[in-house]
Amino acid sequence: MAATLNGFHHVKLPVTDVERSRDWYERVLGLRVFIEFVEDGTLMGVALRDADDVVDVALRQDPVRAAAMAGFDPMALCVPTLRDLKDWQQRLDDLAEPHGGIVTGHVGQVLVGLHDPDGIEIRFYHPAQDDPEDA
């Protein structure tokens, strides 16, 4: 097959309130806005990116679809080490953000149960097996 892929360009999520969700993704995930989508003078969406320019997430005003996705986990963010996964868990604890802790996934470890303001679950995934010293 000649057609190839080299990753995701971005993930777009529906939200009820763009400003509220933007603030949450900035505060909790440390993402920063790099594009605002304004239509007829109203902020309808934002594109956010992590500090290392690796992860792009777009948020789009769409309350009906946001409500339909509540409880669903469309995004699992990859972290390089088990120590990083534990650091994310500590960050969420420090921010008093409820989550379900680190569990064993089909491959690796997963920090589950973090929900954005619309109830969409965001997971953190460390798929590789680490050295015991890395834990």
Side-chain angles (χ1 to χ4, degrees):
M1 182 170 133
T4 62
L5 299 172
N6 68 347
F8 286 95
H9 183 269
H10 69 276
V11 173
K12 182 172 21 175
L13 299 173
V15 299
T16 301
D17 180 322
V18 173
E19 292 177 1
R20 176 184 69 168
S21 293
R22 174 203 61 210
D23 294 348
W24 186 89
Y25 280 82
E26 287 177 333
R27 182 179 62 81
V28 176
L29 300 184
L31 303 179
R32 66 186 190 288
V33 173
F34 70 98
I35 302 174
E36 291 186 338
F37 301 96
V38 178
E39 299 170 12
D40 297 324
T42 302
L43 181 65
M44 295 301 293
V46 293
L48 303 112
R49 182 175 284 158
D50 72 309
D52 294 325
D53 294 329
V54 173
V55 174
D56 287 357
V57 176
L59 306 175
R60 175 72 180 174
Q61 182 87 19
D62 192 335
V64 172
R65 286 188 175 94
M69 288 189 65
F72 191 65
D73 58 322
M75 182 169 48
L77 299 168
C78 194
V79 298
T81 69
L82 183 56
R83 178 74 258 152
D84 291 314
L85 192 63
K86 290 177 179 180
D87 288 347
W88 273 106
Q89 182 178 27
Q90 185 61 55
R91 176 179 172 81
L92 298 178
D93 290 343
D94 292 346
L95 292 171
E97 284 290 333
H99 60 82
I102 296 173
V103 300
T104 300
H106 290 288
V107 178
Q109 303 292 308
V110 188
L111 176 54
V112 299
L114 174 67
H115 292 91
D116 79 358
D118 289 298
I120 296 170
E121 185 172 346
I122 309 299
R123 294 183 174 192
F124 298 85
Y125 212 104
H126 173 58
Q129 298 299 325
D130 289 307
D131 289 333
E133 295 175 12
D134 185 38

